[in-house]
Amino acid sequence: MREVCSLSGMARSTFQRWKAGKTSPTVATVNRMMDAIYSTRAKRKEVA
């Protein structure tokens, strides 16, 4: 999750607050996270 937070420009503490149910992400933030996940997966497939 550290890598996804870094790639999406989000602090890990923000993610931890979501996980604890203290706050909720915006749609834009979820989209940035999804973009980071998919770009990371694509890069790993290119290397393999």
Side-chain angles (χ1 to χ4, degrees):
M1 192 47 57
R2 181 179 299 170
E3 185 176 7
V4 172
C5 289
S6 176
L7 291 171
S8 62
M10 177 183 57
R12 281 188 10 194
S13 60
T14 300
F15 177 79
Q16 291 168 340
R17 284 192 301 273
W18 297 340
K19 193 173 176 182
K22 294 180 179 179
T23 61
S24 297
T26 63
V27 172
T29 302
V30 171
N31 285 336
R32 281 197 326 262
M33 289 178 65
M34 295 302 293
D35 288 343
I37 291 167
Y38 284 116
S39 69
T40 300
R41 291 180 80 193
K43 287 177 186 176
R44 287 183 181 158
K45 284 184 179 182
E46 290 174 4
V47 173

